Amino acid sequence: MELDSFAQTVKEIEAEIARVIVGQHDVIRNTIICMLAGGNALLEGVPGLGKTRMVSAVGQVLSLEFKRIQFTPDLMPSDIMGTNIITEDQDGRKFFEFQPGPVFANIVLADEINRATPKTQSAMLEAMQEKTVTAGGKTRNLPRPFFVLATQNPLEMEGTYPLPEAQMDRFLFKLMVGFPEEKELVDIISSTTASGQEEPRKVMGGEQVLRMMELAREVPVSERVTAMAGRMVMATHPESTYAPDSVKKYVRYGVSPRGGQALIAAGKVRALIEGRYNVAFEDIEALAFPALRHRFFLNFEGEAEGINPDLLIAEIIEAVRDKE
Amino acid sequence: MRRKVDQELEKALYSILQRISYQHYFKWLLRGLAAGMLASACFLILSRFWPWAEVKTFCLLGSAVVLLLALTTAFFKRPDIWEAACRADACGLKERASTACELSGQDSDIARRQREDALRNLKALNVKEKIPFFTPIRETWVLAGTAVLLLLLVYLPNPMQEQVQKQEEIRKEIAVQEKKIEEAKKGLQEKEEKFPLEERAELIDLLEDLQKDLQEADRLEDALKALSRAQTQIQEEQAGGEFGDDIQELLMEMKENEASRELAEKMAAGDIEGSQKEFNSLMDKEGEMPGEGAEGEESVEEMLEKALDQIPAELAAALKNAANTTQNGEGGNGNPQSELNSAIGRMCSQAAGSMDASLAQAALQNARQGLLAAGSSNSSGQLASNQGGTGDSASGGSNESGEGGGSGQGTGGSGTGNTPGNNSGGQGAGSGPGAGMGSSAGNESQTGQSSSSFSSGDLNSPAMSMREYEKIFDPARIGLAGDASIVKGEAGEGPQQTFDTADPAVVNQALRPYQELVGHYSQMARESLDRSPIPAGMADVVRDYFSSLE
C-alpha cells in the first residue's frame, strides 16, 4: 500500500459497500475516514436504515473479524469483555481460563448502545480508548485494527440510558444516518427482496488497513490549518471571542481538545482520499459536523429549544472563516 | 515572519507575489493620499481659527510627508513569499502552497510528493484571472470623502484670510525695508572703501545686525523692536561725539557758502586728508582776498567765526592759533599746523560719522514708517502716504532736509537731497516725522498740519500693540529747533504759503520710545509728589493717571 493507491483503495472499498448499501454515501465515506483515522463511530438513525448491514459490509470488505453486540438493559460488562471460567486440564486440575468476550474482534458493532446500563456502557470505555481490556486483574490487548461502531435509535428513548458525555467524547465521529431518497428506497426494496443478494468482495486485509492508517498519519498539516482547527474548537466555548452568538446563548460547555484532534486526524485521511498530500481548510470544515456535533454540552435553553448542534457548527464555521 | 522556501517554489510563487505587491502598494498609495488630504484638511481647518499664512505650504509639505510615510510603511509591510503562498491557497490550491512552504527543506516522501503537487497546481494557476487587480473599495471611499472635504475647505471663504493677507503684506514690507537698509548699507560700504572710518564700520555692522534681525522677524512687533533697538544705538553713538550735534548745522551752513562747500562735502564724506588740504587752501584764499565775499553770502571769515563759536574751546583755540600763524606768520603754542590738522581730522571724522548716522537714521525711520503703514493699512484706514520719500533738493541745494510733502494729516517724510552736478554728492539729511511741509490754500477750508505722530487711524487697531516700540515726541524737546508747524487756513483767506521746517526728530532727537518717555515723566511726577505739598487725594489722582499710562 502506497500513497498513490490510497485514494483508489478507498474508492474500491466504497464501491463494494455500495453494492449492499443503497445511498448513504456520506455515511459510508465518513465511516471509512473514521476507521482509517483510528477512531470509533457512533451511528444514529431510526431502525431499518441499514446501519448494521453497513457495518457488517465494512467488515467483509476489509476482511476483518466482525462481531455484533446487541445492547440490552440486562447486558453485563463481562458479557462484552469476557470472563474467567474454571476449566480442567488433561490431568484433571482445575484452573481459571479467560474466555474473551465479543469485544475481541477487529470491528465491534455495539448495536443500540444506549439500551445498556451505564455500567455496561462504561465497560466499553477502556476498549475504545486504550484498545485494551482488563479482566481478572490482567490487561489484554485487543486485536489491531480495532474499531467500535455503535448505533443508537433517537426515537425510542424510553428505557434507554443516554451515553454519558465522557463516553460520547470517545467516539471520533457521530454519523447521522438519514432516511433514503425515494429512488434509493425503491432500490433498497428491490435489492433486498430479490433472490441471490449480492455480497461485498474483500478488498484488503487488516495489515493493509494498518498501513493505510500509518500513511494517513504522515500527511503534513499547515500551521494555518491547525490554527483553524484550534479556533474552531475555541469557538464552541461560549466564553471565547470566536464564539458566535448562538454558541454563547445555547452552549454550556464546548468541545474538548479531543475535538481538535479528531478534526486533524480525520482531515489527514480525507486529504489523501481527495488526492492531496496536505490537509486543507475545506477538510476541517467538512469534517466539523461529524467530529464535533456530539461533543457539545447544551445548556437548559439549548436543550429546551431542541437546538441542533449542526446549526451551531455551521455558524461556528462561518465565524472562523471570517477571522481567517 | 520571513520564511525560507525552496527556490523552485519561490519561482513558482513569484508571479503571485508580484501581483499582490502591486495591489498592496496601490492600496497604500490610496491610503497615503487619503491621509495626506486629511492632514491638509486638518491644516485648513486650523487655519480658520487663527491666521496662518503658510498653510498652503504646510498642506503640501504635510501631504507629501504623510504620503511618504504611507509608502515607507507599505515598503516595510510589503507581502512576502508566505503571503503569496496563502493567496495562492485562497485561489483554489487548498493550502497546498502554504504547506509546501512550511515543508521546505524536508526530504521525506510525503513532503516531496506534497511539494510536487503544489508546484503542479501553481503552474496550472492562471494568476491574472484568479488574482485580478482591483481598486480597494474602502480606501477609495475614504479618499473620495477626504477629497470632497478638502475641496470644501479650499473653496469656502476663510474668515482669517484678511488677517493672513495683512501678515503677508507685513512680511513683504519687512523684506522691502530690509532691501532698502541693504542699499543704505552698501552706500556706506562704498564710502568706507574710499575713506575708512571706525564709526562708519560700526554703523555698517549695526545695519548688518539689523538686517539679520529683520530677516528673522516674522511679526511686525519683532521688526519694529529691531528697528527701535538699532535707532537707539545710533542715537547713543551720535550723542557721544566730541563736537556734539551742532556739527551738522555747521556743515549745512558751510555748504550754503560756495567757497566752503567743497570743504563741507569732503568733511561729510570723511575725507580727512582732502578736508585738511581744502581747509588750508581756503585759508590761503582768504589771506589773498580778504573781505571778498559775494554779496549776500557769508565770508569765509564770518563762517569761521561762527564755527569757532560753535565748536569746543579746544578746537576753537587750535583753529585760531592756526589762523593767526597762517595770516601773520606769528607762532603759537606747539606746532600749530599739526594741531590744526588733527582738530580738522577729528572734526571731519565726526562730521562724516554724524552724516552717516543721519542717513542710517533716515533709512530706519523710513523702514519704521513703512512697516507701521503696512501693519495698520487694513485696520486703521489711510496712513499718510508720504512716508519714506526721497526728496531731491533743488539745484541750489537749499533744501537739505527732506520734504514730507503733502498737506493735511500724516507723518512727515524723510529724505536725502542730492545736489545735482556734484559727484561727491551733497547729501542733505533730514528724516522723520514732523518735518513736513504744511501748506494751506486760501480757498480751501482745511487745516494742514505737520504732525509728529505715527498713530494714525483707529487707536484700537492691532497697530496699537506696537505702541511700545513707537517713538513719540518728547514735549520737553520740542520748542527747540524744528518745532512742529501748524498752519491753519480758512476758506477765502489770503494767498497760499509754504513753510519748510527743520527736522526735529533728527536734529533734536525729539523722538524717544514711548515706554521710556512715560517712565521718565512718571518718575518726575513721583518726585514732585514727594516734594510738593499736594493734597493726598490729588496725589492719588496723579499716581493713577501715570499708572494707567504705564
Side-chain angles (χ1 to χ4, degrees), chain A residues 4 222-223 276 278 281, chain B residues 89 94-96 102 113:
Chain A
D4 296 332
S222 166
E223 288 170 16
R276 270 182 280 112
N278 61 279
F281 291 147
Chain B
D89 288 344
K94 297 182 180 177
E95 287 62 66
R96 284 182 172 95
E102 286 182 15
R113 284 169 186 269

Side-chain angles (χ1 to χ4, degrees), chain B residues 398-412:
Chain B
S398 61
N399 188 12
E400 265 75 21
S401 63
E403 289 182 358
S407 61
Q409 63 173 356
T411 55

Side-chain angles (χ1 to χ4, degrees), chain A residues 81 98 126 132-140:
Chain A
M81 304 299 161
F98 181 73
E126 186 186 359
T132 57
V133 165
T134 303
K138 189 176 178 184
T139 301
R140 293 173 177 82

Side-chain angles (χ1 to χ4, degrees), chain B residues 25-104:
Chain B
Y25 282 114
F26 180 58
K27 187 171 82 173
W28 275 95
L29 178 69
L30 293 182
R31 284 181 181 178
L33 285 172
M37 288 170 111
L38 200 62
S40 297
C42 289
F43 289 148
L44 288 175
I45 289 169
L46 288 177
S47 75
R48 288 170 174 269
F49 292 101
W50 64 79
W52 190 359
E54 303 87 5
V55 67
K56 285 177 185 167
T57 312
F58 269 79
C59 283
L60 286 173
L61 277 175
S63 301
V65 168
V66 170
L67 185 60
L68 196 66
L69 277 175
L71 292 177
T72 309
T73 311
F75 176 76
F76 284 110
K77 288 191 168 184
R78 67 188 185 279
D80 59 3
I81 205 77
W82 170 252
E83 285 171 60
C86 292
R87 187 61 191 269
D89 288 344
C91 293
L93 259 71
K94 297 182 180 177
E95 287 62 66
R96 284 182 172 95
S98 54
T99 308
C101 283
E102 286 182 15
L103 294 178
S104 288

Side-chain angles (χ1 to χ4, degrees), chain A residues 2-4 215 218-225 272 274-283 324, chain B residues 1 3 82 85-87 89-90 93-99 102-103 109-111 113-114 117 120:
Chain A
E2 290 304 325
L3 281 166
D4 296 332
L215 286 175
E218 290 177 9
V219 172
V221 187
S222 166
E223 288 170 16
R224 298 170 66 208
V225 177
L272 285 177
E274 295 288 326
R276 270 182 280 112
Y277 299 99
N278 61 279
V279 182
F281 291 147
E282 72 166 33
D283 297 324
E324 178 59 32
Chain B
M1 187 179 70
R3 292 168 189 266
W82 170 252
C86 292
R87 187 61 191 269
D89 288 344
L93 259 71
K94 297 182 180 177
E95 287 62 66
R96 284 182 172 95
S98 54
T99 308
E102 286 182 15
L103 294 178
D109 181 44
I110 188 92
R113 284 169 186 269
Q114 200 281 328
D117 182 37
R120 194 167 49 248

Side-chain angles (χ1 to χ4, degrees), chain A residues 34-90:
Chain A
C34 180
M35 290 171 66
L36 294 178
N40 308 295
L42 175 65
L43 289 88
E44 187 173 288
V46 294
L49 295 180
K51 298 186 290 290
T52 308
R53 180 78 184 108
M54 186 188 76
V55 174
S56 170
V58 168
Q60 284 177 280
V61 170
L62 299 181
S63 186
L64 297 174
E65 187 183 358
F66 169 74
K67 286 190 178 163
R68 175 183 172 177
I69 306 168
Q70 184 66 46
F71 278 57
T72 54
D74 59 350
L75 189 73
M76 298 302 289
S78 58
D79 296 336
I80 301 168
M81 304 299 161
T83 186
N84 288 316
I85 58 171
I86 300 172
T87 55
E88 285 184 4
D89 60 8
Q90 291 175 345

Side-chain angles (χ1 to χ4, degrees), chain B residues 107-144:
Chain B
D107 201 30
S108 63
D109 181 44
I110 188 92
R112 186 175 47 76
R113 284 169 186 269
Q114 200 281 328
R115 188 158 52 247
E116 284 169 4
D117 182 37
L119 285 171
R120 194 167 49 248
N121 280 274
L122 274 171
K123 280 173 188 166
L125 185 70
N126 186 342
V127 176
K128 284 186 181 174
E129 187 186 316
K130 292 284 183 181
I131 309 174
F133 196 80
F134 66 95
T135 305
I137 301 296
R138 193 180 62 177
E139 280 78 5
T140 307
W141 275 110
V142 172
L143 182 65

